[in-house]
Amino acid sequence: MTPTHPRYYASIAQQPMLSTRRILVVALIIGAILTTVAFRGLTLQVLDASVAEERGRNQSMFTQDIVMPRGLITDRNGTVLAVSNLAYTARINPFYEKNDPQKRYVTDTLTLSAAVARGIGQPQETVKANMDRILTSWTKETSATVSTIIAADISIQQLNVLTTQLVTVKRCCISIEEGWKRTYPQGTLAAGVLGYVNREPSGLSGVEDFYNNILRATPGQIVQRGPELLTIEQSSPGSDVTLTLDANLQRFIEQRLAKALKDYDANGGSIIVMDTRTGAILGMASLPNYDPNTALNQVTNAASARKLRNPAISDVYDPGSTMKVVTWAAAIDSGKVTTRTVFNDTGVYRTDGIPIYNSSNGRYGNVTLLEVFQHSINTVTAQVARELMGPTLFYEYARRFGYGNATGIDLGGEEKGILNSPESPRWSPIVLTTNSYGQGVSMTPIQVICAINAVANDGAYVQPHVVDHYTLPNGDVKDISTIRRYQSVSPQAARETRAALAEATRTATPEVLFKGYSVAGKTGTAEQRPNGIPMARPIHTYAGFFPASNPRITILVKLDYPRPAYAKDTALPVFKDVAERTAQIFNIPPDLVK
Amino acid sequence: MDRTLLFIVLGMLVLGLVMAFSSTLFYLDETSGTLVSQQFMNQLFAAGIGLAGMLVISRVDYAIWRRFALPIMAVVLLLLVAVLFTQKTLGASRWLFDRRFQPSELAKGAMVIYGATWLASRRDQLGSFLTGLLPFGLIVGITALLIIVEPDFGTTSVVVAISVMMFFLAGASLKHFLAVGATAGVTGALAYPVLMSLFPHAAARVANFAQSTDPNYWQNHVPQAKIAFALGHFFGSGLGSSSQKQGFLPLPQTDSILAVLGEELGLLGLILTLALFALFAWRCLAIARSADSHFGAFICVGVMTWLVVQLCINALSLMEVIPFTGIPVPFLSIGGTSLVSVMAACGLVLSVSRGSRRLAMAPARAASRVRAQARPTRGDQGEGDALSRGNGRTRAPRTNRAVSVTTNADVPVLVGRDIRVRRTTTSTRGGAVRREPKRNGGGARPTR
């Protein structure tokens, strides 16, 4: 129909607004698309869902580790010696997503390192160099080996600064992890006793090592799948350990030892203060020492780890004359001698072909035990052991006093020394002779003090220990396991030896006495032959106890290779100062003042 | 006003806000102590503006948009050109004003209004290749080209779908349709390698499409959406409890909102959502059918296509039926511009359902003008124009009586309810007689 047709316009006018057919077509198209979506939904959500669903369940599973702090270590008065503080680790995320090396997210290390450096208070150059190193060395392949840590052990205060700084730059490329950092607030104090921990953290020496299982926190874990909680492993913090140590005494003996080292030009030394009756260690100092806060950084190999040992329990030496006390206690206990038995000292004792002399080549004539202790006579002591006691008896007593056996002190890394008994191929009768006055036997300072302590403690040998008790997280207090304790010699024999020693101390070395107390102690000046090479200077020891009538405190002072010749001039004054201070701190009643 | 449509729209709005709340829960800052996220508050604010805008637009006589059609389109085209000169964000130049405004979002609305105007005014020439298909194709082509080079394939397809659907309903020649379809198919196949080399990100998406053998396959966006759907099963995991939105699914609150809906409300929720959109489409088509002008009818079809196609493209790409393209789901995806413009469009459809008083009176005015005319202006082809320009009158006559058209050199004719003034050389008798339009109820009924 053309516009010229008479009914053209009428026909147009009669047309409906839109073609019904076309509207139907449109409706069908729209309906078809929507139905497609619905059917695809049916396939994805119900019919064919299993594979994707499995994927989804697994990927939304996440594990959250809960790390609790390691237990406290405190001294007997509650002074905190080791504590775990919250510490944060900052890592850099080298790549943006999906580990795609093409998408390096951090491009501007200058700005970022400036912010981090301000946050953790380190020079920016260091931080930037570290960042650049990580970013260049980190690839998809090396991701397992390259650490992305840019700052460790960040304190909460530093973290606050750091996060404020990071807000100003791209925050998302630095991630912060929370953890615990073992801190020793007293620095080097009692370092040898405390030990140190690795990053795990697990103790590597000292109390940290020995009581690792008690101090250690039990890690927990929460496994979640989406919002659904799958498993919860309970976590708990470590138990708190209380030491027998007294921080004040410890500080004093460390300072005193340092002074002695300086005064006498010694290159090392140890002081041990022990409760005579219980074997509890009240103070244990050794020099040189280390700061357990930074100890781990010093450990790079076995040799550097050796430097971090506790010499008081790990370094062996020939204790020398100090051990005469033990020999004589044994001899009296065996009934072979009494305190009144008279020996003739000719200044030399020859047996097995090798002559034994006294120090300074002294010759004292007819002597009893008192003179032996006063002058530290080698010849008579050797004679008693060699002739009156004999190897069987002597070594039986030596074992009872702990020679050649570890004391079992609750510290990691204890050595047991060397005692060559008659069964050993390296033994000969001359070994016995020298052993009687503390030569040819190697012992640790803790073994020496324990042997002396047995004499002080009425013949009862007690196992030394540094931990008094520990407290479980729920507040329960547990004492440490049973302390080994046995008679080395009879109380009678011990008392007699003790009395003779006290008298000898009073008469021969009155300078060790301090007001109101009787003291019994014995010097030891022993030449050392580590690896068979004689050292130019001897090691000085002074071991003793007070009050002599009723001993409460046993003390050992050991100085390595000091300049003065005799222990009387070096270890003895140190012993006196330590004893005086100990008496003050522990309120030991004096026995000479009524 | 079509109450049914209004309730459907309000239903979609509520559903959208619920999903917006759920999908942004994960972004809540624990330390802020608030129950709702800032994103949700923004969406709520946009919903308020959108609602107000929708109601205002629905009360405004939709015929006035014909007047603004050309300026709106011109401004949008200018903005689309301007956006090309901005810096690329996320690999595309789509945003203006500090990423707050996407001109391509506006282009959809502009295409609806301008397309409807153009098609209504050229209704009797649509069957022609030179005066119908070609100019319309050019308009759509230019707009689409400007959007595709941003690049934004999703919006381009929506704009093209809107125009094709309106063109089809307006009465395009089926032969042309088939021919254009075939040409587009062949050209597309030939130009495909060129296009892919021009847009590497699209090439990558096509290459990644459904590659489940890829070891990293499950880390991708669409597979994660598939996981979300799968976890939802039939009844869903419960509102707010989606695990996929917690970091696995990218953009859970915008492009991936349907996957979150599928996981939380299940297939049931998905189908109900689709049903809501189907109802919307049905109402739009019904309003289009009974609209009192072609302009209004085309607007309804355009808006319907816009919303439904946008939903379906998003859904199908999340469901791995078509390669991925990120476009927002109307009402559901968070995004202020999108929500406000979609609600404004719904307001337009509601306005059409009310009918236009101006259009209803137009025949009478035009007729009286014709009767009194001194010289009809060529180009006065639309009723809007007839009312406003060129006739020297500012007020329309009050009479609404039926117009009978007599033979004249310039013949005013009724085309449907549109009145036309055609210069004819041959005198023709007769003409259509129509009843006065009803004033109550949704506009006049067709004469037949």
Side-chain angles (χ1 to χ4, degrees):
Chain A
M1 223 184 271
T2 58
T4 53
H5 193 276
R7 276 162 52 206
Y8 171 73
Y9 292 110
S11 71
I12 291 176
Q14 281 165 7
Q15 280 177 0
M17 193 65 63
L18 297 173
S19 151
T20 311
R21 252 190 305 179
R22 291 203 172 190
I23 286 187
L24 269 177
V25 170
V26 168
L28 279 176
I29 292 171
I30 296 292
I33 300 176
L34 286 172
T35 316
T36 311
V37 175
F39 268 99
R40 184 64 185 158
L42 179 71
T43 318
L44 286 178
Q45 300 205 252
V46 181
L47 303 180
D48 209 6
S50 52
V51 175
E53 195 190 346
E54 181 69 24
R55 278 264 168 195
R57 295 251 180 265
N58 291 339
Q59 77 175 8
S60 67
M61 186 131 73
F62 65 97
T63 308
Q64 195 184 351
D65 290 321
I66 301 165
V67 185
M68 292 291 238
R70 200 172 161 84
L72 284 177
I73 301 179
T74 54
D75 83 335
R76 63 190 303 129
N77 303 317
T79 308
V80 175
L81 301 176
V83 62
S84 286
N85 287 332
L86 269 179
Y88 298 85
T89 307
R91 288 173 185 275
I92 188 162
N93 307 336
F95 298 114
Y96 181 35
E97 56 182 349
K98 292 180 194 163
N99 297 345
D100 185 352
Q102 302 304 316
K103 288 185 184 165
R104 170 155 292 171
Y105 197 61
V106 184
T107 47
D108 184 10
T109 49
L110 196 66
T111 323
L112 190 64
S113 61
V116 174
R118 274 196 296 275
I120 60 176
Q122 280 181 11
Q124 194 201 338
E125 299 79 50
T126 327
V127 178
K128 184 174 187 303
N130 195 12
M131 270 183 192
D132 288 338
R133 183 186 54 75
I134 292 169
L135 291 181
T136 46
S137 57
W138 203 96
T139 63
K140 210 170 175 179
E141 288 74 32
T142 62
S143 60
T145 51
V146 176
S147 157
T148 52
I149 297 179
I150 50 168
D153 301 336
I154 304 169
S155 69
I156 295 187
Q157 292 80 4
Q158 285 175 318
L159 183 77
N160 286 340
V161 185
L162 181 63
T163 40
T164 2
Q165 289 292 337
L166 285 178
V167 170
T168 60
V169 292
K170 279 178 186 167
R171 187 183 187 172
C172 39
C173 41
I174 300 284
S175 61
I176 308 279
E177 288 166 16
E178 194 181 77
W180 298 96
K181 155 94 175 142
R182 195 63 162 167
T183 313
Y184 302 89
Q186 308 285 344
T188 58
L189 188 77
V193 175
L194 296 173
Y196 57 98
V197 294
N198 60 13
R199 292 222 161 267
E200 201 176 317
S202 179
L204 292 183
S205 80
V207 171
E208 295 275 24
D209 179 20
F210 197 90
Y211 288 95
N212 193 39
N213 287 341
I214 287 167
L215 287 163
R216 186 182 67 185
T218 314
Q221 210 177 47
I222 295 180
V223 182
Q224 236 177 316
R225 197 164 61 187
E228 163 193 14
L229 224 57
L230 290 185
T231 57
I232 302 179
E233 265 177 51
Q234 285 294 340
S235 63
S236 70
S239 303
D240 296 344
V241 165
T242 304
L243 302 185
T244 54
L245 245 49
D246 183 288
N248 291 326
L249 178 66
Q250 180 71 24
R251 193 170 294 113
F252 175 79
I253 62 176
E254 284 185 11
Q255 284 164 2
R256 187 65 189 87
L257 182 62
K259 183 171 180 291
L261 257 54
K262 199 164 150 256
D263 290 349
Y264 309 127
D265 190 27
N267 58 9
S270 295
I271 297 177
I272 304 173
V273 182
M274 189 166 163
D275 184 321
T276 307
R277 294 171 187 172
T278 62
I281 304 294
L282 306 175
M284 180 184 268
S286 286
L287 284 178
N289 65 358
Y290 59 91
D291 184 350
N293 288 305
T294 54
L296 196 61
N297 306 336
Q298 299 167 24
V299 183
T300 46
N301 50 36
S304 56
R306 268 184 75 85
K307 282 184 187 166
L308 301 186
R309 302 192 312 170
N310 181 0
I313 60 166
S314 315
D315 281 6
V316 293
Y317 74 118
D318 287 11
S321 306
T322 312
M323 303 322 288
K324 281 174 190 153
V325 177
V326 176
T327 306
W328 279 92
I332 291 171
D333 187 59
S334 66
K336 303 289 180 193
V337 294
T338 67
T339 50
R340 297 182 188 281
T341 313
V342 178
F343 298 89
N344 184 25
D345 170 35
T346 58
V348 64
Y349 174 65
R350 284 179 202 278
T351 180
D352 311 319
I354 297 174
I356 305 289
Y357 300 98
N358 289 322
S359 68
S360 317
N361 288 322
R363 183 190 296 183
Y364 303 101
N366 287 343
V367 293
T368 61
L369 175 57
L370 180 66
E371 284 80 27
V372 170
F373 280 160
Q374 276 175 343
H375 306 299
S376 195
I377 300 171
N378 292 343
T379 53
V380 174
T381 310
Q383 187 188 349
V384 165
R386 177 80 180 85
E387 291 172 13
L388 300 181
M389 291 178 77
T392 319
L393 209 51
F394 179 81
Y395 285 106
E396 196 197 315
Y397 276 109
R399 291 243 156 62
R400 285 203 214 161
F401 277 100
Y403 288 48
N405 276 323
T407 61
I409 189 172
D410 45 358
L411 289 173
E414 190 193 358
E415 293 288 331
K416 61 177 187 176
I418 301 162
L419 176 70
N420 289 319
S421 60
E423 296 85 46
S424 158
R426 298 174 64 180
W427 187 83
S428 63
I430 187 66
V431 171
L432 166 62
T433 320
T434 52
N435 282 177
S436 67
Y437 54 89
Q439 293 283 0
V441 55
S442 62
M443 299 175 80
T444 60
I446 191 73
Q447 280 177 309
V448 174
I449 192 176
C450 284
I452 300 295
N453 189 65
V455 177
N457 193 23
D458 290 349
Y461 185 97
V462 285
Q463 183 185 351
H465 58 277
V466 297
V467 170
D468 191 61
H469 63 268
Y470 58 94
T471 314
L472 297 178
N474 62 11
D476 286 358
V477 175
K478 299 256 183 194
D479 285 333
I480 55 162
S481 51
T482 2
I483 310 284
R484 209 151 46 87
R485 179 183 190 97
Y486 56 85
Q487 284 303 127
S488 299
V489 290
S490 66
Q492 186 57 38
R495 279 191 205 118
E496 283 176 15
T497 317
R498 211 166 72 200
L501 187 60
E503 182 59 20
T505 307
R506 192 181 64 80
T507 51
T509 54
E511 56 268 41
V512 80
L513 300 177
F514 55 99
K515 201 181 170 195
Y517 296 90
S518 61
V519 176
K522 183 76 193 76
T523 54
T525 306
E527 278 151 21
Q528 304 295 317
R529 294 171 169 268
N531 310 318
I533 306 151
M535 300 293 286
R537 296 179 188 171
I539 287 182
H540 294 181
T541 312
Y542 193 93
F545 42 87
F546 72 93
S549 55
N550 181 21
R552 294 284 304 278
I553 304 287
T554 311
I555 297 171
L556 174 129
V557 177
K558 169 188 171 240
L559 296 174
D560 298 350
Y561 316 116
R563 187 176 307 120
Y566 295 109
K568 187 172 175 286
D569 307 317
T570 58
L572 190 143
V574 179
F575 177 95
K576 184 199 166 193
D577 291 348
V578 172
E580 205 168 354
R581 189 59 181 261
T582 312
Q584 268 175 27
I585 291 177
F586 289 95
N587 244 336
I588 308 294
D591 57 345
L592 299 183
V593 181
K594 295 297 170 207
Chain B
M1 187 151 54
D2 193 296
R3 290 255 172 100
T4 321
L5 183 70
L6 182 65
F7 285 125
I8 292 170
V9 169
L10 291 178
M12 295 198 287
L13 181 66
V14 169
L15 177 69
L17 287 176
V18 169
M19 288 317 296
F21 181 72
S22 165
S23 59
T24 54
L25 264 183
F26 180 62
Y27 290 94
L28 269 187
D29 185 5
E30 282 171 14
T31 54
S32 69
T34 56
L35 274 173
V36 286
S37 64
Q38 189 56 45
Q39 289 197 44
F40 176 74
M41 291 310 288
N42 291 347
Q43 184 75 353
L44 208 58
F45 182 67
I49 293 187
L51 207 56
M54 180 176 86
L55 293 176
V56 167
I57 289 176
S58 72
R59 307 295 293 187
V60 170
D61 194 323
Y62 72 87
I64 65 156
W65 298 107
R66 282 189 81 145
R67 272 208 259 170
F68 298 120
L70 190 61
I72 287 176
M73 195 63 189
V75 167
V76 166
L77 286 178
L78 279 177
L79 287 174
L80 284 175
V81 171
V83 88
L84 294 179
F85 297 99
T86 60
Q87 228 178 2
K88 288 198 170 193
T89 24
L90 299 178
S93 313
R94 293 181 189 170
W95 290 273
L96 280 180
F97 309 124
D98 194 21
R99 284 203 67 182
R100 260 180 250 154
F101 176 69
Q102 270 196 62
S104 58
E105 201 62 35
L106 216 57
K108 291 179 260 190
M111 185 45 85
V112 169
I113 293 174
Y114 183 74
T117 312
W118 196 91
L119 290 169
S121 64
R122 302 267 181 120
R123 216 178 77 81
D124 51 345
Q125 297 165 44
L126 294 184
S128 151
F129 176 78
L130 274 180
T131 55
L133 178 68
L134 195 62
F136 188 72
L138 273 177
I139 296 161
V140 178
I142 289 169
T143 318
L145 190 72
L146 283 173
I147 302 174
I148 210 166
V149 294
E150 284 185 1
D152 187 346
F153 289 92
T155 311
T156 310
S157 12
V158 175
V159 167
V160 170
I162 290 171
S163 4
V164 167
M165 206 63 106
M166 289 199 302
F167 193 45
F168 174 73
L169 268 179
S173 154
L174 286 178
K175 271 185 248 163
H176 285 166
F177 242 84
L178 291 175
V180 168
T183 320
V186 173
T187 324
L190 290 176
Y192 182 76
V194 183
L195 275 178
M196 288 298 117
S197 64
L198 281 176
F199 303 110
H201 84 284
R205 280 180 187 175
V206 173
N208 279 342
F209 178 62
Q211 290 290 310
S212 53
T213 49
D214 176 4
N216 291 328
Y217 171 78
W218 288 101
Q219 295 174 15
N220 294 330
H221 189 159
V222 170
Q224 287 296 332
K226 279 169 73 182
I227 288 176
F229 283 118
L231 289 173
H233 269 301
F234 190 79
F235 289 109
S237 62
L239 199 60
S241 69
S242 161
S243 62
Q244 283 299 98
K245 71 185 175 189
Q246 302 185 358
F248 297 108
L249 199 54
L251 303 167
Q253 76 281 37
T254 57
D255 288 358
S256 311
I257 188 78
L258 275 180
V260 177
L261 186 143
E263 186 183 351
E264 296 190 344
L265 304 179
L267 180 63
L268 193 65
L270 182 71
I271 286 179
L272 288 177
T273 309
L274 294 174
L276 206 56
F277 276 84
L279 277 176
F280 176 80
W282 164 66
R283 269 333 289 169
C284 282
L285 287 177
I287 293 168
R289 197 156 179 264
S290 59
D292 57 0
S293 75
H294 286 99
F295 174 60
F298 297 156
I299 281 183
C300 295
V301 174
V303 171
M304 182 275 291
T305 314
W306 170 3
L307 267 63
V308 175
V309 165
Q310 207 161 307
L311 166 85
C312 291
I313 287 182
N314 182 292
L316 292 176
S317 57
L318 277 186
M319 292 173 164
E320 209 174 46
V321 180
I322 56 174
F324 185 79
T325 177
I327 55 172
V329 184
F331 289 105
L332 295 179
S333 294
I334 278 197
T337 323
S338 170
L339 185 63
V340 171
S341 55
V342 160
M343 294 197 73
C346 292
L348 217 50
V349 178
L350 287 173
S351 174
V352 172
S353 77
R354 286 163 48 87
S356 167
R357 182 150 180 252
R358 286 178 175 231
L359 290 185
M361 295 170 64
R365 296 180 199 170
S368 73
R369 192 195 68 194
V370 167
R371 276 199 302 277
Q373 75 167 357
R375 41 185 177 79
T377 318
R378 181 159 174 74
D380 263 4
Q381 288 176 335
E383 53 272 279
D385 295 341
L387 289 172
S388 60
R389 286 188 264 130
N391 60 6
R393 284 184 179 230
T394 50
R395 292 174 58 194
R398 287 182 193 174
T399 48
N400 283 324
R401 53 193 182 83
V403 179
S404 69
V405 179
T406 48
T407 314
N408 206 317
D410 298 313
V411 191
V413 290
L414 279 167
V415 182
R417 255 151 272 120
D418 297 357
I419 191 130
R420 290 283 160 71
V421 180
R422 294 189 71 80
R423 183 168 298 241
T424 53
T425 44
T426 345
S427 63
T428 318
R429 115 196 124 70
V433 176
R434 71 185 298 282
R435 283 180 290 140
E436 191 174 334
K438 286 178 191 164
R439 302 297 298 281
N440 53 344
R445 294 267 138 207
T447 28
R448 221 164 42 142

